[in-house]
Amino acid sequence: MSDVFVRTTWAEPLPPPDSSVGVKGWIRGNLFASPGDAMLTIAGFLILLWAVPPLFNFLIGDAVFIAKDGAACRVEGTGACWAYIWDKLNFFVYGFYPPAQQWRVNICFVVGALLIVPLLVPTAPYKLVNAILFFAVYPVMVLILLRGGMFELSFVPTENWGGLTVTLIIGLCGIVISLPIGVVLTLGRQSKLPVIRTLSIAFIELWRSAPLITILFMASVMLPLFAPQGMTVDKLVRAIVGVTLFEAAYLAEAVRGGLQALPRGQYEAADSLGLNYPKSMGLIILPQALKLSIPGIVNSFISLFKDTSLVSIVGIFDLLNTVQSSTSDLRWGSPHQAVTGYLFAAFVFWAFCFGMSRYSLFIERRLETGHKR
């Protein structure tokens, strides 16, 4: 006959072992959970030890931050020449815009930031008024201020615009205009009318099958040949039109992916409510499709913003072109002058693209309604 033990008092739960909690537990669980993880972690640390110290020395440790010319940057063993970036910063931002008139560009930057920030904050009030000011009033204000020729503002041709200003103008115009065009093309591609559907498909496939460089050349060189005699279209406008239509074709396919991801029941629910086509699309279908298409749409926006650097091929002085042209300044000539300039341009593009990416993730989390897996 065996003895039976019955506990008559409550036993307090034991704490987890020290090796599975705290910093030690996180390291063991995330870096050395298996032999394969341990090898990858060690390899990663070795790569960091190999790459970070020389990179830090080049960017900060041996870099030249203050100098009057490139003499200090030409000393052997020096790193990045940030003094050259600081000296050329106005040129990188404004291009050849007259220095005495650069306050007009600054006003456009400030007003644009004041209008776009409340639009991006979901809880900010007066969205309709803000949208009208940004999408209708602001472009007119920018055109009047930058171009001049009225209200006693001196005329500044677009050939003198350049740098980050032109990059932002092309990128912002392309993003704002291409999205509604892309939505219209998507709806046209799904139209039951053969003419509308065929024209939409032909437009999308034609623009998607041509490289952006070819389109920019066509817009810059060939388009004026087909324009009526005596009519000229500004080179910057032609580039914006080319970039916008090119991006609209890609956005149309991104939105179409969102439409196809919707279950058939959503269409049937709209029909059961007795909604006509515009209302069912505007109130039920498109809001859900656009929410599902956010990753693809933002991916296209990021691609568009980076592709603005291609306008330098048709002679427009965007940020990359101004950086590239400044490398011929012999006063700042040094072995790392061009590398520093391209690093600066890359950082500017990265900052804007990373900001768009993080904002899209924020919107996805905010609109998440059960589609996240």
Side-chain angles (χ1 to χ4, degrees):
M1 182 176 181
S2 60
D3 296 333
V4 176
F5 173 76
V6 178
R7 184 182 295 277
T8 58
T9 58
W10 176 256
E12 294 294 333
L14 296 175
D18 293 338
S19 60
S20 62
V21 295
V23 177
K24 186 188 297 184
W26 186 88
I27 293 175
R28 184 171 184 176
N30 293 278
L31 301 180
F32 299 97
S34 66
D37 291 350
M39 292 177 63
L40 289 175
T41 300
I42 293 172
F45 275 116
L46 291 176
I47 292 174
L48 289 176
L49 287 175
W50 171 74
V52 170
L55 193 60
F56 175 82
N57 290 333
F58 179 80
L59 295 177
I60 298 176
D62 299 329
V64 178
F65 292 94
I66 301 174
K68 294 182 180 179
D69 52 32
C73 301
R74 286 191 286 271
V75 177
E76 187 176 358
T78 55
C81 187
W82 298 118
Y84 145 74
I85 299 295
W86 181 252
D87 185 71
K88 297 289 183 184
L89 191 59
N90 269 13
F91 181 57
F92 294 157
V93 175
Y94 306 107
F96 298 103
Y97 209 87
Q101 303 296 324
Q102 289 174 0
W103 60 270
R104 291 152 58 174
V105 183
N106 294 333
I107 289 180
C108 294
F109 284 157
V110 173
V111 174
L114 292 177
L115 291 177
I116 199 171
V117 168
L119 273 180
L120 297 179
V121 178
T123 56
Y126 307 112
K127 278 285 189 294
L128 179 60
V129 176
N130 204 346
I132 293 174
L133 289 175
F134 182 75
F135 293 109
V137 179
Y138 181 64
V140 178
M141 188 204 78
V142 170
L143 182 63
I144 294 174
L145 272 178
L146 294 186
R147 193 168 184 273
M150 58 180 72
F151 302 115
E152 298 184 354
L153 296 172
S154 60
F155 175 71
V156 180
T158 55
E159 287 77 9
N160 289 354
W161 303 7
L164 182 62
T165 304
V166 164
T167 296
L168 291 178
I169 289 174
I170 297 175
L172 199 58
C173 290
I175 289 173
V176 171
I177 301 174
S178 63
L179 181 58
I181 296 177
V183 172
V184 171
L185 287 172
T186 303
L187 299 179
R189 182 163 189 162
Q190 296 194 332
S191 173
K192 295 178 181 177
L193 298 176
V195 175
I196 302 297
R197 185 172 63 250
T198 304
L199 288 176
S200 301
I201 293 175
F203 181 91
I204 293 172
E205 298 302 332
L206 175 65
W207 287 84
R208 280 204 310 165
S209 58
L212 181 56
I213 296 177
T214 305
I215 292 172
L216 289 174
F217 271 120
M218 288 286 293
S220 179
V221 179
M222 299 298 292
L223 188 61
L225 300 179
F226 298 100
Q229 190 173 7
M231 177 182 175
T232 58
V233 181
D234 189 88
K235 185 166 61 175
L236 180 61
V237 175
R238 295 199 296 265
I240 292 175
V241 171
V243 170
T244 301
L245 295 181
F246 179 82
E247 199 59 33
Y250 280 90
L251 285 173
E253 289 303 283
V255 177
R256 188 169 70 90
L259 286 175
Q260 290 184 337
L262 281 182
R264 184 64 189 168
Q266 297 298 317
Y267 294 87
E268 295 172 351
D271 294 337
S272 67
L273 292 174
L275 300 178
N276 55 22
Y277 180 78
K279 286 186 176 179
S280 64
M281 281 293 166
L283 299 177
I284 295 180
I285 304 301
L286 276 181
Q288 298 183 74
L290 291 175
K291 186 187 71 173
L292 295 173
S293 306
I294 286 177
I297 291 174
V298 174
N299 190 45
S300 298
F301 285 167
I302 291 174
S303 175
L304 180 150
F305 188 74
K306 292 189 297 183
D307 287 345
T308 56
S309 59
L310 293 176
V311 299
S312 61
I313 297 174
V314 293
I316 295 176
F317 272 81
D318 71 318
L319 174 63
L320 184 63
N321 206 1
T322 53
V323 170
Q324 194 166 7
S325 62
S326 70
T327 58
S328 60
D329 186 353
L330 297 179
R331 190 169 69 91
W332 283 99
S334 68
H336 303 308
Q337 179 191 13
V339 176
T340 307
Y342 291 133
L343 282 174
F344 170 75
F347 174 77
V348 173
F349 276 101
W350 174 84
F352 280 99
C353 294
F354 183 72
M356 285 190 279
S357 174
R358 301 310 299 178
Y359 182 74
S360 76
L361 292 177
F362 164 72
I363 292 298
E364 282 183 55
R365 285 195 297 269
R366 184 177 175 83
L367 299 179
E368 200 277 318
T369 54
H371 293 286
K372 186 178 179 180
R373 295 191 175 97

